[in-house]
Amino acid sequence: MASEQPQGGDRWVFGYGSLMWRPGFPFIDRRTAVLHGRRRAFCIYSVHHRGTYDRPGLVLGLAPGGAVRGVAYRVAESAWPEVYAYLREREQPTETYFEAWSKLRIDGNGEVPALVFLSDRKHGQWAGALTLEQQAQLIAGARGLSGPNIDYLRDLVGHLREDGVRDHAMEALLKMVEGLEG
């Protein structure tokens, strides 16, 4: 799964959560991509973007196992230093992820190395494998600097549908959270 960071040239970045619909950086290509060996999961306690230390929410991470469909962005070599600095600030406010260069299968491009933010299972914000009910309890009512936790879940489900992906577990989770929030 791990690969070498490209030396020079354009670079790819993988998004499996909010980077899919709100990258926030300039890119020259956007493609559907699959990362093998990891799966999308609400496995990170959020104390910054979607919760607080007093009332943590949950955000997505890449848990071991399976495969995840997301989006790969090709970033021009000239823009890379600025984009990389932006991604570090956005994705690492509490260092809950570690960076890796992993091979992605990109529609129309075969396999390419891409920057991926993987969940650090040794970090204190690692929530691990929670039931849907536990996830719903944590997401319902949580709010952080980026807004209500439920909005993040709604955005995820909506954008997955737009990309032709039906994630039945995420859809069931959204129904549970909506029920808890009334």
Side-chain angles (χ1 to χ4, degrees), residues 95-167:
E95 300 288 327
T96 55
Y97 304 99
F98 64 92
E99 300 169 26
W101 288 87
S102 300
K103 289 189 188 273
L104 298 181
R105 171 126 348 249
I106 296 181
D107 290 352
N109 278 66
E111 265 190 4
V112 299
L115 176 62
V116 179
F117 289 90
L118 300 174
S119 306
D120 182 352
R121 293 182 290 163
K122 295 178 182 161
H123 194 282
Q125 286 175 248
W126 170 253
L130 301 171
T131 66
L132 281 183
E133 291 79 11
Q134 290 170 317
Q135 292 171 51
Q137 290 291 329
L138 285 161
I139 292 170
R143 176 184 208 84
L145 294 174
S146 296
N149 206 167
I150 192 172
D151 289 353
Y152 179 74
L153 176 56
R154 278 189 183 120
D155 283 343
L156 172 67
V157 169
H159 285 89
L160 287 174
R161 284 180 185 161
E162 284 176 17
D163 285 343
V165 178
R166 292 295 305 266
D167 187 321

Side-chain angles (χ1 to χ4, degrees), residues 78-90:
S78 61
W80 181 250
E82 186 177 310
V83 168
Y84 179 68
Y86 164 79
L87 287 169
R88 292 243 344 120
E89 182 177 322
R90 173 182 169 159

Side-chain angles (χ1 to χ4, degrees), residues 51-92:
T52 65
Y53 284 99
D54 292 333
R55 175 58 173 88
L58 284 175
V59 292
L60 293 170
L62 289 173
V68 60
R69 178 174 287 282
V71 172
Y73 297 97
R74 186 163 54 103
V75 177
E77 179 179 17
S78 61
W80 181 250
E82 186 177 310
V83 168
Y84 179 68
Y86 164 79
L87 287 169
R88 292 243 344 120
E89 182 177 322
R90 173 182 169 159
E91 298 298 314
Q92 296 285 50

